[in-house]
Amino acid sequence: MIYGYLRVSSDEQDVSSQKQGVEQFAKDKGWTIDKFITDEGVSGGKDPDKRNLGPLLKLVNKDDVIISSEISRLGRDLYMVMDILHLCMERGCIIYTVKDRFVLGSDIQSKVLAFAFGLSAEIERQMIRQRTKEGLQLRVKMGVLVGRPLGTKTEPRCDKETKEKIIEQYKWGVPLRRLAENFKVDRNTVDRWLTRWGCKSGRNFKKEEEQRRKRDTQHRKSLYKDDDEYCNIELPREIVIGLIEQDLTIPQIAENLPQYTYEQIYDTILCDYEFNALYRKHGQLKVKKK
């Protein structure tokens, strides 16, 4: 079977010129197009399975031919073109492009071309990774916390006033169950809060908190550093909270705490639930407005 594949990315464009070129190419080869597959008004960045190209690739067999006006019609993304080429090579299908004059099959020339595509794709990936890393490093220097906020969306928030009331009632001897009823939260949530605030020595909660913190921050290690360990330490809690509530950015907080390195301050704010959430409401907003 000989297939002609036509694609235009805009509804205002017409596939007629592509069709004429493909038909002329087939005529010069002495072939007849058995079927045209058309994607009109479809971006080349869209996955082949979401285009008419996808079913065609699943249909082709050994010695089938796909003719396209140019290789960019198959896909705008180099990785996507590589996947399409790999699939066709596995099935023994040959791709011809009219304008580029590429012949992509299972011969040595096609394999060399596939290697060149693969090398280009790897270089492109490396460049993207480098640009991403440089961008993240710049954000870190500005004082922007990378990654998503810590914790789960299901845990209720506790503002400063509520926190003070819970601590006060706990010191009066109010049981955890009654505290949970008073503030309309789960008993375990109150227990976690009190343990986190250092008001209660939790048998398991502190360990669970640390384990959860490690899980939530594990992926951040690769965001802006290579194999360096985190510099997460114990900072003077009330002082740091006070500086954050003054809308200071992390570089400004570091200036007020010269006894600690920038990395220690940044990583601790990044990894600490309370610091992380509070900073995102204050200094983080200030940085993003710049």
Side-chain angles (χ1 to χ4, degrees):
M1 290 281 288
I2 298 177
Y3 301 93
Y5 178 68
L6 315 171
R7 183 188 66 79
V8 289
S9 56
S10 171
D11 292 330
E12 298 175 355
Q13 295 175 314
D14 189 8
V15 297
S16 298
S17 60
Q18 291 184 31
K19 187 175 182 180
Q20 290 174 6
V22 169
E23 286 178 332
Q24 185 60 49
F25 180 87
K27 184 178 179 181
D28 293 342
K29 293 279 189 182
W31 299 336
T32 301
I33 303 292
D34 295 303
K35 188 176 182 180
F36 276 99
I37 306 297
T38 305
D39 279 315
E40 295 192 59
V42 180
S43 168
K46 196 174 233 183
D47 191 90
D49 288 335
K50 296 180 181 178
R51 296 186 265 152
N52 292 327
L53 178 61
L56 171 62
L57 295 174
K58 295 175 182 177
L59 184 67
V60 293
N61 295 306
K62 184 175 174 59
D63 297 327
D64 284 347
V65 171
I66 298 176
I67 306 175
S68 180
S69 64
E70 52 188 323
I71 201 165
S72 63
R73 297 300 96 195
L74 299 174
R76 289 288 184 187
D77 189 284
L78 188 56
Y79 315 131
M80 186 184 299
V81 174
M82 280 294 300
D83 289 339
I84 293 171
L85 174 58
H86 179 69
L87 177 61
C88 289
M89 289 176 70
E90 281 187 335
R91 290 177 172 266
C93 172
I94 302 174
I95 298 177
Y96 290 85
T97 62
V98 178
K99 294 181 181 178
D100 307 317
R101 295 292 171 181
F102 288 145
V103 181
L104 308 175
S106 58
D107 59 347
I108 188 66
Q109 179 183 353
S110 299
K111 291 179 180 178
V112 170
L113 192 56
F115 172 76
F117 282 159
L119 182 60
S120 300
E122 180 59 29
I123 292 172
E124 186 176 348
R125 281 192 292 269
Q126 291 287 354
M127 293 177 68
I128 290 172
R129 279 196 290 265
Q130 184 62 30
R131 287 197 299 270
T132 302
K133 184 176 179 181
E134 289 173 355
L136 288 171
Q137 287 174 339
L138 178 61
R139 290 168 67 83
V140 168
K141 289 180 181 178
M142 292 171 60
V144 177
L145 298 181
V146 297
R148 63 176 176 79
L150 292 180
T152 62
K153 294 181 180 179
T154 57
E155 181 168 311
R157 296 180 178 276
C158 181
D159 56 35
K160 185 177 180 181
E161 184 179 352
T162 303
K163 175 183 174 181
E164 291 174 352
K165 289 180 179 179
I166 292 174
I167 293 174
E168 184 179 20
Q169 291 187 25
Y170 177 72
K171 289 180 178 179
W172 290 344
V174 178
L176 293 180
R177 191 174 298 280
R178 179 60 63 83
L179 283 173
E181 292 174 358
N182 292 346
F183 295 95
K184 295 180 173 57
V185 294
D186 186 78
R187 177 185 178 282
N188 290 330
T189 300
V190 175
D191 203 344
R192 279 196 299 272
W193 282 347
L194 290 169
T195 303
R196 190 181 302 159
W197 298 333
C199 302
K200 180 177 180 294
S201 58
R203 185 180 59 191
N204 294 321
F205 284 108
K206 192 168 185 179
K207 184 177 180 181
E208 291 174 6
E209 183 84 1
E210 185 62 29
Q211 290 174 343
R212 185 164 53 251
R213 184 178 301 176
K214 286 180 179 179
R215 286 196 303 270
D216 282 348
T217 59
Q218 186 66 32
H219 71 283
R220 288 166 164 78
K221 288 187 178 181
S222 61
L223 289 176
Y224 70 102
K225 294 183 180 180
D226 294 323
D227 297 323
D228 297 340
E229 290 294 327
Y230 258 17
C231 302
N232 189 9
I233 62 169
E234 287 295 328
L235 293 175
R237 198 159 201 87
E238 296 304 320
I239 294 177
V240 173
I241 289 175
L243 293 172
I244 292 175
E245 289 178 341
Q246 293 177 40
D247 289 342
L248 298 184
T249 63
I250 292 178
Q252 292 171 329
I253 293 173
E255 291 177 1
N256 283 270
L257 298 172
Q259 65 271 38
Y260 303 102
T261 67
Y262 183 88
E263 288 75 15
Q264 288 175 330
I265 294 171
Y266 182 93
D267 289 351
T268 304
I269 292 176
L270 178 70
C271 298
D272 186 281
Y273 278 75
E274 187 176 14
F275 289 164
N276 189 301
L278 192 62
Y279 183 77
R280 289 177 185 275
K281 295 179 183 178
H282 291 272
Q284 178 102 319
L285 299 177
K286 183 178 177 182
V287 175
K288 288 187 173 182
K289 287 180 181 179
K290 292 183 179 180

